[in-house]
Amino acid sequence: MIGKYTEALLMENQETFLVPADNVATVLYSHPLEHALLVLSKVGYAKIPVLDSEDHLVGLISLANIVDKMMGLTGFDMNQIEGLTVADVMEVNVPTIQNKDDLEDILHLLVQGSFLPVVNEDNVFEGIITRKEILKAVNHLVHELEKRYTVSTKGIIKEKLIS
Amino acid sequence: MIGKYTEALLMENQETFLVPADNVATVLYSHPLEHALLVLSKVGYAKIPVLDSEDHLVGLISLANIVDKMMGLTGFDMNQIEGLTVADVMEVNVPTIQNKDDLEDILHLLVQGSFLPVVNEDNVFEGIITRKEILKAVNHLVHELEKRYTVSTKGIIKEKLIS
């Protein structure tokens, strides 16, 4: 469990945690792989969410996923990915989160992935929570905590209060 | 300034902060771009350090840097990068850190980049500090702090101690 003062300080930046869906580059699972390559090379993210036509999250696709597929017998070759779609190389069964207030889960899941897709109860994509935004909140936490609060070894404070 | 209790708890995981140079995939600035593409597609990192032949850090190269260069007039084309080396597309003037104990700097610089190259005073590459490892330490911090210490609003504790 995260302590209440610690959590409150982290959550002071909460409104910036979610990068809303409208601001996140995504591709459709039915898109040609070359289109995904174009999007990924432009957006500056190494990996982006894959949606279906009704905005459900169906996977993630990375530049590495695509480049890997371009490898032929004699080196990289664009012909290797001709005719392939995003669905052919995307990663599926990716961790997601529904409750964007569950700091405990967010912090754990972000150890594994550099961002965490947020979905609603119908798996409709709502946005992402990134390590970058969480690290901003962590900077706030570590700089503010002992400015605002007195932190003391549990035994010591007790003794002082009793004596 | 980071408070002393906060810093001490974060630093309990310090020995895992640095991924040593031997465990980090790198390329030479003189390598053909196609070689860097191969390394990047295999290692699972979107961006890796670029060294010279004496292990000095000279830049970073990402899959996006290379794929971007593959874009020709009529789409992606491997011929576009023929004859190019890593030096032709790498990012230079990247932030580095010399003192891997400077938590304040580490936490700030990791907001901008997903990892931070560590170099010695001669700019020889020593390894990287990743957001992933720092987030493990943050998980430790937020779960332990209020278990081990009493956190109290500054005014309140003072009052109690005086009365």
Side-chain angles (χ1 to χ4, degrees):
Chain A
M1 220 190 71
I2 302 177
K4 66 173 179 173
Y5 294 98
T6 313
E7 176 151 2
L9 268 171
L10 278 171
M11 293 306 250
E12 283 183 357
N13 279 35
Q14 197 201 346
E15 74 276 12
T16 66
F17 281 3
L18 185 78
V19 181
D22 285 348
N23 298 345
V24 181
T26 57
V27 286
L28 288 178
Y29 75 95
S30 54
H31 275 152
L33 218 41
E34 190 164 344
H35 174 76
L37 193 59
L38 184 65
V39 174
L40 278 160
S41 73
K42 294 300 171 202
V43 293
Y45 289 105
K47 193 181 270 192
I48 55 176
V50 180
L51 308 181
D52 68 13
S53 55
E54 286 168 320
D55 289 340
H56 298 108
L57 182 82
V58 293
L60 299 176
I61 189 165
S62 70
L63 273 173
N65 293 149
I66 305 175
V67 173
D68 207 42
K69 211 70 180 180
M70 285 162 46
M71 190 65 185
L73 289 175
T74 57
F76 291 102
D77 181 357
M78 285 302 295
N79 294 325
Q80 294 284 332
I81 63 168
E82 212 177 296
L84 295 182
T85 64
V86 168
D88 293 319
V89 306
M90 68 186 184
E91 298 162 30
V92 293
N93 300 321
V94 297
T96 60
I97 198 160
Q98 280 193 26
N99 179 356
K100 65 182 176 11
D101 303 330
D102 190 338
L103 198 57
E104 190 107 19
D105 276 3
I106 292 171
L107 283 174
H108 272 128
L109 291 169
L110 280 178
V111 171
Q112 293 315 316
S114 62
F115 67 87
L116 184 58
V118 179
V119 295
N120 73 7
E121 64 281 10
D122 297 318
N123 198 39
V124 169
F125 178 64
E126 298 194 325
I128 58 173
I129 296 175
T130 64
R131 282 183 181 158
K132 180 183 180 135
E133 291 306 321
I134 293 297
L135 275 170
K136 286 185 191 167
V138 167
N139 268 293
H140 180 66
L141 166 70
V142 300
H143 286 89
E144 284 298 311
L145 187 83
E146 293 176 51
K147 249 188 237 164
R148 291 201 207 166
Y149 302 108
T150 303
V151 175
S152 13
T153 310
K154 286 200 162 168
I156 290 172
I157 270 287
K158 224 174 186 172
E159 267 170 41
K160 279 192 186 165
L161 287 174
I162 288 165
S163 67
Chain B
M1 221 192 69
I2 303 177
K4 65 174 180 172
Y5 295 97
T6 312
E7 176 151 1
L9 268 171
L10 278 171
M11 291 306 249
E12 284 183 356
N13 278 35
Q14 196 201 347
E15 73 279 8
T16 66
F17 281 5
L18 183 78
V19 182
D22 285 348
N23 297 345
V24 180
T26 59
V27 284
L28 288 177
Y29 74 94
S30 54
H31 274 153
L33 217 42
E34 189 163 344
H35 174 75
L37 193 60
L38 184 65
V39 173
L40 278 160
S41 74
K42 293 303 172 199
V43 294
Y45 290 104
K47 192 180 273 193
I48 55 175
V50 180
L51 309 182
D52 68 13
S53 55
E54 286 167 320
D55 289 341
H56 299 107
L57 183 83
V58 294
L60 298 177
I61 189 164
S62 70
L63 272 173
N65 294 148
I66 306 175
V67 172
D68 207 41
K69 209 74 181 178
M70 285 162 44
M71 191 66 185
L73 288 175
T74 57
F76 291 102
D77 181 356
M78 285 302 296
N79 293 326
Q80 296 283 332
I81 63 168
E82 213 176 294
L84 294 182
T85 64
V86 168
D88 293 320
V89 306
M90 68 184 184
E91 298 163 28
V92 293
N93 301 322
V94 296
T96 59
I97 199 161
Q98 280 192 28
N99 181 357
K100 63 181 177 15
D101 302 331
D102 190 338
L103 199 55
E104 190 108 18
D105 276 3
I106 292 170
L107 283 173
H108 273 128
L109 291 169
L110 281 178
V111 170
Q112 294 315 317
S114 65
F115 67 88
L116 184 57
V118 179
V119 294
N120 73 9
E121 63 280 13
D122 297 319
N123 199 38
V124 169
F125 178 64
E126 296 195 324
I128 58 173
I129 296 175
T130 63
R131 280 183 182 157
K132 180 183 180 135
E133 291 304 323
I134 294 297
L135 275 170
K136 285 185 192 169
V138 168
N139 268 293
H140 180 66
L141 166 70
V142 301
H143 285 89
E144 284 298 311
L145 188 81
E146 292 178 53
K147 247 186 236 166
R148 292 202 206 166
Y149 302 108
T150 302
V151 176
S152 12
T153 308
K154 285 197 165 169
I156 290 173
I157 270 287
K158 226 175 186 172
E159 267 171 44
K160 277 191 186 167
L161 288 173
I162 288 165
S163 67

